[in-house]
Structures are given as structure tokens and as C-alpha cells.
Amino acid sequence: MKKIDLMKKQQDMLKDQICRNLDLLIGSIVRSPAMMYHSLTTKVGGKTVTRYVRKGLVPKVKKMTDRNKRVRTLIQKLSNVNWELLKQESE
């Protein structure tokens, strides 16, 4: 296979991985020693917002915030592949 074909295949694979991980939450789940509960903190309109997370939802919320980190990494990789494809197509 040509390099450009391999890169297009990688591009499609990254797009598919991104689509499969869109069930996400932006923010961080935290529990300070002084608090008896978990909370999700995120930025909204330039301000930090804290939301209470029920104990039973903590594992799901952690999984969803991890997906957000994964999607950001995948988008960075996709951007790099797209850049390389643009360079290859312009030659």
C-alpha cells in the first residue's frame, strides 16, 4: 500500500474511535478528604462549576470523564494525520 492509503486508513480508524467514545463528560471528578461526597468540576462560561455526583454514579462519571481525555488525544492524533495527508496531497 502507498503511504497516502495507509494514512487514509488511519484517518478512518481514528474517526471511528472518536465516534465510539462520544458518550463523555467534560470535567474532573473529585473527592476531597473534608467532603463526604464526590463532585464534578468543569468550566462553564469561564467560571468553575461544581456539580454533586451521587455515590452510585461515581464509576460511570469516572468512565465518561476518561472518555473525554481519550477523545482529546484521538483528536490530536487525527489532526496530525490530516496535516500529513494535506502535505502528501499537495506534492
Side-chain angles (χ1 to χ4, degrees):
M1 285 181 111
K2 291 182 181 179
K3 183 177 179 179
I4 197 163
D5 293 331
L6 289 172
M7 291 175 71
K8 285 186 179 186
K9 186 175 180 179
Q10 185 179 8
Q11 181 187 43
D12 291 337
M13 185 178 67
L14 287 167
K15 287 178 183 178
D16 184 53
Q17 287 177 358
I18 290 168
C19 288
R20 283 187 277 130
N21 285 291
L22 289 178
D23 186 19
L24 57 82
L25 282 173
I26 298 173
S28 302
I29 188 158
V30 295
R31 180 178 181 210
S32 79
M35 295 186 289
M36 299 301 295
Y37 59 91
H38 288 83
S39 59
L40 176 72
T41 59
T42 188
K43 290 278 188 180
V44 176
K47 296 189 179 213
T48 301
V49 175
T50 302
R51 297 179 177 147
Y52 170 74
V53 178
R54 292 186 190 141
K55 190 174 184 178
L57 291 176
V58 171
K60 187 170 185 172
V61 172
K62 282 184 179 180
K63 191 176 192 180
M64 293 173 80
T65 56
D66 288 343
R67 282 190 193 128
N68 178 51
K69 293 174 189 170
R70 173 99 173 114
V71 167
R72 284 189 291 164
T73 302
L74 291 169
I75 289 172
Q76 184 62 49
K77 288 179 182 179
L78 180 60
S79 177
N80 292 339
V81 169
N82 287 343
W83 178 251
E84 292 299 321
L85 277 169
L86 280 172
K87 289 188 339 189
Q88 290 290 322
E89 290 172 355
S90 68
E91 291 177 357

